């Protein structure tokens, strides 16, 4: 996958993840794109857990569905860390 396609899929996945999760996420377009890109890598890692090719920890981008799921997981983790730091 080319870097431009990876960025575009990251943007789309980040926007969908932010639309699915309720609450206020104060991030701009670049942070949303980075969220989707990290979510794509997380989704690729989770997807590789279910493949039997023996390459478990290869960093590879995933499809849009796993990218959105990965972005939701990352958004939940960032939100939980932010709440914990605000209460401390």
């Amino acid at each position: 996958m080319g870097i431009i396609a990876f960025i575009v899929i990251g943007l789309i996945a980040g926007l969908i993840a932010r639309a699915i999760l309720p609450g206020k996420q104060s991030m701009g377009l670049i942070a949303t794109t980075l969220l989707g890109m990290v979510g794509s890598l997380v989704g690729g890692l989770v997807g590789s857990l279910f493949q039997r090719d023996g390459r478990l920890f290869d960093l590879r981008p995933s499809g849009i569905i796993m990218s959105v799921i990965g972005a939701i997981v990352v958004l939940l983790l960032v939100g939980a860390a932010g709440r914990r730091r605000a209460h401390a």
Side-chain angles (χ1 to χ4, degrees):
M1 174 186 304
I3 188 72
I4 301 297
F6 186 55
I7 292 171
V8 170
I9 288 176
L11 175 63
I12 293 169
L15 288 172
I16 292 172
R18 286 187 57 203
I20 289 174
L21 284 180
K24 182 181 178 209
Q25 298 100 11
S26 58
M27 40 173 89
L29 194 60
I30 294 174
T32 301
T33 303
L34 290 174
L35 167 73
M37 291 168 68
V38 170
S40 179
L41 292 175
V42 170
L45 179 65
V46 170
S48 69
L49 293 174
F50 299 106
Q51 293 180 353
R52 301 186 192 273
D53 61 0
R55 300 179 341 177
L56 181 61
F57 291 109
D58 285 349
L59 287 179
R60 53 185 156 199
S62 61
I64 189 70
I65 294 172
M66 288 303 289
S67 296
V68 170
I69 292 171
I72 289 172
V73 168
V74 170
L75 197 56
L76 287 172
L77 291 174
V78 168
R83 274 183 256 127
R84 185 176 6 204
R85 191 172 16 167
H87 290 295

